[in-house]
Amino acid sequence: MSDTPLTLEEIRVMAEGIGLNELSDKQLEQLRQVTNIKRTQSSSALFASLGPADEPANVFGLTASEEGKQS
Amino acid sequence: MTDLAYLSVADAAELLRSKKLSPVEYTRALISRAEKYDGRLNAFLRLTPEIALEDARRAEDEILNGNWRGPFHGVPYALKDIVDYEGIATTAHSKILRDNIAKSDAAVTEKLRAAGGVFMGKLSTHEFACGGPSFDLPWPPARNPWNREHFCGGSSSGAGAATAAGFVPAAIGTDTGGSVRNPAGMCGVVGMKPTYGVVSRRGVFPLAFSLDHVGALTRTVRDNALLLDLIAGHDPSDPGSTHQPTGGYAARLEQDIRGIRIGVVRHFYTQDKQGDEEMVAAVEAAIEQLASLGCRVSEVRMAPLDVYAACYRNIMESEAYAIHEKWMQERPGDYGELARGRIMAGAFVRGADYVNATRARRQLVDAFATVMREINVVVTANSFDPACRIDDEKTLAHTFRRQARTPFSVTGSPAISVPAGFSKSGLPLAIQIAGAPFSEALLYRVAYAYEQSTAWGQKRPALE
């Protein structure tokens, strides 16, 4: 989270860093706007109660194959 | 003969089974209606009358020969255009996939075809199930049958519009953050997002793997239960598919609901955000109606909407961007502006934020389970406003976040939108009934009892 909005040049460098090289100036401006909005959206209330042992929701459970059951 | 356009699946099934209605006659009536009116609504991206009539003729032959397959035999249906039908393009309403011919059927399509359903075509969606009503795509957006100048909800926009308009009695939609329940509420039909994993996602273009659900839109609760009976069940080719038993939903519809404990989550629409006056009044009236039917009503609290929204955003945007990254690098100009903006929002989400959101998600799931120990079902609002004008970008953006669907997307639990009245301007209002994982049968029972005690579902939009 940051209070300082990114400039168009800053977002251009960031975009190129992740392979977004084909964006027009208008699309870069759109990326700048959505990224700046995201930087102002706080997730701190969401993450405040997480302790080190809190597991993600998408940790999967494996099931044994027939071979696994027999071993 | 009953008005074929508004025949329910259950009533159609009985007429078809008893040979009082010909599948061909039924299908021709709905094709004619769609051809006559859909130019004003854009519910269909592609109407497939040749396939529909071929399916109908086959159904007719089989039924006349005594081989009735079940309640969807000879009944028309349509698919949101992110669901594969072999040999037909799955476009996701996007230039990116304009020529993407499906190589095989989605799991839900296989089930509908095996049940003898009549395929009417592919339905409009928000681009890649995440844009909005956009005018910069190869096809126009679907419009609301109750007032075509208004938004019909989304992203299963065509599914809501086609069902409400009487083009099909049942449609398949998908729901990642509310995309079945939103159009259901705004179009005045019934929409169920089942528990995560109850319906296979195989052959459905993903938006966010851990949040995607396939669901049904119908005009009645019974039809919705019949359709979920058909499409639910384990699929080994969907890694998220459940091993829990499914089905038996329609069979249990009429069981008594007296004594069922309803927890009203009022803070969603009165404190976290203030719902529109008419919408709040409709939700409160529905709660009183359920109490009058013998339910025990109390108020419960869940986490604030903003907490669910933050969790959802981090997960959805990260997973969606991962899916779209290659196209975003190579063909960014082929997206519509709305979808591009929503997908781009995931470009710089930190890995730690994504992981922490999934950790918070587990806490929210556990907290909801604690709430559900004291009650049987939750009742709350669906959207907080009636549908706004489709060309009012500012209000669309404002109302997009004013809803209580996200909590049940995050928890992966079932939630159903049920019609609950009309605004003074004639637009549908709705309630949302949600519950613990795999409690679909109970949600349908409560929804059915409520529906049967009101007349909201009997009103029809004027399409002329």
Side-chain angles (χ1 to χ4, degrees), chain B residues 151 182 186 273 382-389 392-403 405:
Chain B
F151 181 39
N182 182 14
M186 293 199 166
K273 287 188 168 64
N382 177 0
S383 294
F384 293 165
D385 307 279
C388 67
R389 284 185 62 92
D392 183 351
E393 287 180 30
K394 196 174 165 189
T395 308
L396 276 168
H398 174 67
T399 55
F400 178 71
R401 291 178 289 274
R402 287 172 47 79
Q403 43 84 12
R405 294 179 288 272

Side-chain angles (χ1 to χ4, degrees), chain B residues 105-434:
Chain B
D105 286 338
V108 285
T109 311
E110 277 177 4
K111 290 188 174 186
L112 277 155
R113 292 181 80 171
V118 170
F119 178 62
M120 290 281 284
K122 303 300 282 291
L123 297 164
S124 292
T125 166
H126 294 168
E127 188 176 20
F128 286 110
C130 76
S134 302
F135 294 88
D136 59 352
L137 303 177
W139 305 270
R143 290 170 176 267
N144 197 315
W146 296 92
N147 183 335
R148 68 179 298 279
E149 301 304 324
H150 284 245
F151 181 39
C152 62
S155 64
S156 307
S157 44
T163 312
F167 299 160
V168 285
I172 296 295
T174 62
D175 191 316
T176 302
S179 291
V180 162
R181 292 162 286 160
N182 182 14
M186 293 199 166
C187 292
V189 299
V190 178
M192 168 68 99
K193 178 194 83 68
T195 308
Y196 183 79
V198 159
V199 179
S200 172
R201 299 163 301 151
R202 174 168 54 88
V204 178
F205 195 91
L207 172 55
F209 302 110
S210 72
L211 293 160
D212 289 344
H213 304 67
V214 177
L217 293 98
T218 58
R219 288 188 296 271
T220 71
V221 174
R222 182 181 294 279
D223 287 357
N224 210 285
L226 285 167
L227 187 46
L228 190 59
D229 274 336
L230 177 68
I231 64 176
H234 179 66
D235 177 2
S237 61
D238 173 354
S241 183
T242 184
H243 288 270
Q244 293 284 324
T246 59
Y249 309 119
R252 286 180 275 176
L253 273 185
E254 295 184 27
Q255 288 177 7
D256 198 356
I257 67 160
R258 280 177 297 180
I260 281 180
R261 290 166 295 160
I262 289 178
V264 178
V265 192
R266 193 167 273 121
H267 66 88
F268 281 170
Y269 56 90
T270 61
Q271 292 174 21
D272 299 357
K273 287 188 168 64
Q274 180 57 52
D276 164 81
E277 194 178 324
E278 288 183 291
M279 191 65 85
V280 171
V283 175
E284 293 297 329
I287 292 163
E288 281 182 31
Q289 181 72 8
L290 286 164
S292 77
L293 294 172
C295 295
R296 290 157 53 193
V297 176
S298 61
E299 194 165 340
V300 294
R301 290 197 71 86
M302 293 172 59
L305 282 175
D306 283 352
V307 169
Y308 289 105
C311 182
Y312 174 80
R313 261 196 321 266
N314 279 303
I315 296 171
M316 193 283 280
E317 290 168 354
S318 302
E319 294 185 6
Y321 189 79
I323 292 161
H324 286 270
E325 183 174 42
K326 188 171 163 51
W327 288 328
M328 205 54 80
Q329 289 169 338
E330 296 172 356
R331 305 173 60 185
D334 286 346
Y335 288 90
E337 190 175 349
L338 270 174
R340 187 172 55 240
R342 292 199 178 138
I343 294 166
M344 275 179 164
F348 299 114
V349 177
R350 298 183 322 133
D353 285 344
Y354 173 70
V355 174
N356 281 337
T358 68
R359 297 168 76 209
R361 184 180 190 183
R362 178 169 288 234
Q363 290 188 331
L364 290 167
V365 168
D366 291 345
F368 183 54
T370 303
V371 169
M372 292 307 301
R373 280 193 207 123
E374 307 299 321
I375 56 173
N376 302 121
V377 298
V378 156
V379 174
T380 191
N382 177 0
S383 294
F384 293 165
D385 307 279
C388 67
R389 284 185 62 92
I390 196 167
D391 56 358
D392 183 351
E393 287 180 30
K394 196 174 165 189
T395 308
L396 276 168
H398 174 67
T399 55
F400 178 71
R401 291 178 289 274
R402 287 172 47 79
Q403 43 84 12
R405 294 179 288 272
T406 306
F408 311 108
S409 305
V410 168
T411 58
S413 40
I416 185 169
S417 176
V418 186
F422 291 87
S423 68
K424 289 191 186 97
S425 57
L427 291 161
L429 306 172
I431 56 166
Q432 186 179 206
I433 306 171

